Amino acid sequence: MNEFRCELKKYRVLKGLTQEQLGDQVGVRRETIMRLESGKYNPSLKLAIDISRVVETPIETLFIFD
């Protein structure tokens, strides 16, 4: 079974963004960002791309499927 890991929090913090600020920039609620960071939610491709652009980090670095 594939395991999902999310490194988003590390890169979000490096950019100086709160969960709410990132959510606002990509059009989702803070709760969605919180669930992503805890590995409880798999992002859609569009959301993954949007987040990747905001935090200026490749998708494959942010979201890891082992």
Side-chain angles (χ1 to χ4, degrees):
M1 182 175 185
N2 291 341
E3 185 177 318
F4 173 67
R5 280 189 303 127
C6 180
E7 298 292 327
L8 174 57
K9 182 176 182 177
K10 175 169 69 173
Y11 294 98
R12 174 182 59 77
V13 170
L14 285 172
K15 292 297 285 181
L17 295 170
T18 65
Q19 291 175 337
E20 187 164 358
Q21 289 169 329
L22 177 57
D24 287 346
Q25 289 188 39
V26 298
V28 298
R29 296 175 22 194
R30 180 191 61 82
E31 290 81 7
T32 301
I33 301 301
M34 183 175 65
R35 292 183 69 216
L36 278 169
E37 290 182 351
S38 67
K40 295 179 179 171
Y41 179 74
N42 293 340
S44 67
L45 181 56
K46 180 186 181 327
L47 179 56
I49 290 169
D50 290 346
I51 289 172
S52 174
R53 287 178 178 159
V54 171
V55 298
E56 299 175 331
T57 305
I59 291 173
E60 60 273 14
T61 300
L62 296 172
F63 306 106
I64 301 153
F65 292 91
D66 289 329

